[in-house]
Amino acid sequence: MARVFSGARPTGRQHLGNYLGAIQNYVKLQEEHDCFYCVVDIHALTTLEETRELQGNIHEMVLDWLAAGMDPHKSTMFVQSHVPEVMELYTLLSMVTPLGWLLRVPTFKEKARQQPENVNYGLVGYPVLMASDIVLYKGEMVPVGEDQLPHLELTREIVRRFNSIFGPTFPEPKALLTETPLVLGTDRQKMSKSLNNHVELAATLEETTERVKRMITDPDRPYRNQPGHPDNCNVYTLEHYFAPDHLERVYKECTTATLGCVENKTFLAAKINGALAPFRERRRELASNNGFVREVLGDGASRASDIARETLKEVKERMNLQ
Ligand code: ADP
C-alpha cells in the first residue's frame, strides 16, 4: 500500500477550505493507502505569539477530522511534537537545504510581510520541517490544497539533493489535489481562519447562513437586474460541491438575471447546512466521549514512532553519523 502523509496546523475548528481542499481526500485515501495524518503543532509556533489555545485547537481540529470520516482504524493520526524524531531529522535536512531556496518561497515572503515584528528563524525553516515530516514517514503522496504546492516542490528538491549526496533514501513525494484545490472565503481571498473569511464545518445553522450571506459574489454584477457571470462567482463554485444537481438551473437563471445573488446565497447556505447536518451530529457525539481524541492521538503517536525511529537510524547511517 502506498504511503500517504499530510499535515495541518492546529488552527482549531476546520473550515470549508480545509475540508474541500484536503480533508475529503484524507478520507478517500484511507480506504486503499497507508495514511499518516499529522497535527503539526511545531509548525503552528512559527506564527503564534502565545500558546494558550494550542491544546484546545488540537482537540477541536481532531474532532472535525473524526467527524468528517477519518477513521483511527484505517489512518494513523498523531501530533507532530509527540514524535520528536522529526526535530532531529529537521536539523539534518537543514544541512542540505540552501538558504536561497527558502528565502524564495512565496509563503515566507507573505508571512514576513504580515508579521514584520516576528520574522523568526523557524518561519524560514518551515518548508524544511514540512519536508522532514513527509520523508520521516517516507510519504509518497501528499494530499494538500493548492497553497501548499510551492512547499511540496521544495520537499522534492530537498529529497533529490539528499538522495544524490547520500544515496537513494527517500521517495520523491507527489502532491494530490482535490477538484476544489483553492476555496475562496467571503471576501474572495483564499479561505483562511487568519483572515476571518471562513465558514466553519461545525458552525451553527445561523452562523453558516450569516457567513454565506456575507460572501462577495460576481464583482461584475453590480445590480440585481443585470445578468451575472457564474464562472466568476464563489457561490457558484461552492454549489459545484454542495448543489451539483442545480448547477444548470442556477447558471441559466443567473445569466438571465432571473436569480439574484441574495436568493442564491440563501439557497447555498441551506444546502451547506443540509450536507453538514450528519457531520455536526457525529461531532456532537464524539465531543461527549471524553478522552477519545487523546486515545486516538496516543495510538497514532506510538505507530508513527516505530517508523520514525527506523527512518532516522537509516538517515544517520547514510550520513555516517553512526
Ligand atoms: P489554514 O490555511 O486555514 O491556516 P492550514 O494551512 O493548516 O490551514 O491548511 C490545512 C490543509 O487545508 C492544507 O492542505 C491546505 O492546503 C488546505 N487548505 C487550507 N485552506 C484552503 C483553502 N482555502 N482552499 C483549499 N485548501 C485549503
Side-chain angles (χ1 to χ4, degrees):
M1 280 206 289
R3 176 76 51 79
V4 169
F5 180 93
S6 193
R9 289 177 304 132
T11 45
R13 288 171 167 213
Q14 300 289 279
H15 54 68
L16 292 180
N18 298 131
Y19 181 74
L20 296 175
I23 298 172
Q24 59 163 328
N25 261 349
Y26 295 177
V27 175
K28 267 189 219 153
L29 287 163
Q30 64 184 356
E31 298 307 324
E32 288 177 8
H33 298 82
D34 185 17
C35 296
F36 284 73
Y37 298 124
C38 182
V39 182
V40 293
D41 55 347
I42 306 295
H43 275 108
L45 301 182
T46 60
T47 54
L48 285 187
E49 266 149 38
E50 47 90 7
T51 54
R52 263 194 302 262
E53 290 178 2
L54 196 54
Q55 294 309 316
N57 282 344
I58 293 173
H59 185 82
E60 292 294 319
M61 177 157 139
V62 175
L63 274 181
D64 278 343
W65 279 6
L66 294 168
M70 290 166 67
D71 180 347
H73 298 295
K74 296 178 182 164
S75 298
T76 301
M77 288 173 248
F78 66 105
V79 177
Q80 187 179 35
S81 68
H82 295 178
V83 187
E85 280 82 0
V86 74
M87 260 76 90
E88 208 172 332
L89 185 58
Y90 171 53
T91 304
L92 299 177
L93 290 188
S94 74
M95 306 305 168
V96 299
T97 311
L99 187 57
W101 289 3
L102 299 174
L103 295 176
R104 275 200 300 273
V105 173
T107 41
F108 169 67
K109 293 189 196 162
E110 191 187 312
K111 288 280 185 252
R113 257 197 315 273
Q114 282 170 1
Q115 50 181 63
E117 72 301 332
N118 186 17
V119 185
N120 59 71
Y121 172 60
L123 199 57
V124 191
Y126 190 108
V128 186
L129 184 55
M130 175 165 158
S132 310
D133 277 326
I134 297 169
V135 306
L136 187 57
Y137 304 98
K138 299 207 173 176
E140 295 156 86
M141 278 191 262
V142 185
V144 278
E146 193 176 276
D147 57 315
Q148 291 295 328
L149 291 181
H151 288 158
L152 201 69
E153 202 39 53
L154 205 77
T155 295
R156 292 163 59 83
E157 284 180 73
I158 295 172
V159 163
R160 284 198 286 272
R161 188 154 173 140
F162 187 97
N163 287 348
S164 80
I165 301 174
F166 299 108
T169 310
F170 304 121
E172 257 184 65
K174 289 189 189 63
L176 198 76
L177 299 180
T178 64
E179 280 170 15
T180 39
L182 175 64
V183 176
L184 301 182
T186 51
D187 57 357
R188 283 175 65 95
Q189 299 188 69
K190 188 192 95 160
M191 186 177 284
S192 171
K193 194 155 179 163
S194 54
L195 296 175
N196 196 20
N197 63 359
H198 59 300
V199 181
E200 287 179 353
L201 300 175
T204 62
L205 301 181
E206 297 74 25
E207 282 162 357
T208 306
T209 307
E210 189 271 320
R211 286 272 160 146
V212 173
K213 282 197 173 160
R214 216 194 276 177
M215 279 187 175
I216 299 177
T217 52
D218 169 12
D220 298 319
R221 188 188 185 190
Y223 302 109
R224 164 72 179 79
N225 60 0
Q226 286 185 352
H229 312 84
D231 292 327
N232 191 23
C233 173
N234 194 27
V235 173
Y236 187 66
T237 306
L238 287 172
E239 283 169 344
H240 280 73
Y241 184 84
F242 289 104
D245 300 339
H246 293 260
L247 289 179
E248 224 172 286
R249 174 187 63 80
V250 170
Y251 193 92
K252 203 163 141 219
E253 292 181 3
C254 174
T255 50
T256 52
T258 324
L259 177 70
C261 295
V262 175
E263 206 184 322
N264 194 24
K265 285 194 270 194
T266 309
F267 170 72
L268 173 65
K271 284 288 178 188
I272 293 176
N273 279 329
L276 290 179
F279 162 89
R280 289 169 177 167
E281 182 51 39
R282 263 197 310 277
R283 194 185 197 282
R284 264 191 297 276
E285 281 164 24
L286 287 162
S288 67
N289 184 349
N290 249 338
F292 184 57
V293 167
R294 193 174 313 157
E295 206 179 291
V296 167
L297 294 176
D299 288 350
S302 136
R303 267 187 268 165
S305 289
D306 292 343
I307 297 173
R309 272 195 296 272
E310 243 172 69
T311 308
L312 196 62
K313 183 166 177 288
E314 184 187 352
V315 169
K316 286 181 166 176
E317 281 166 8
R318 294 259 185 212
M319 297 180 89
N320 295 313
L321 289 168
Q322 50 181 237

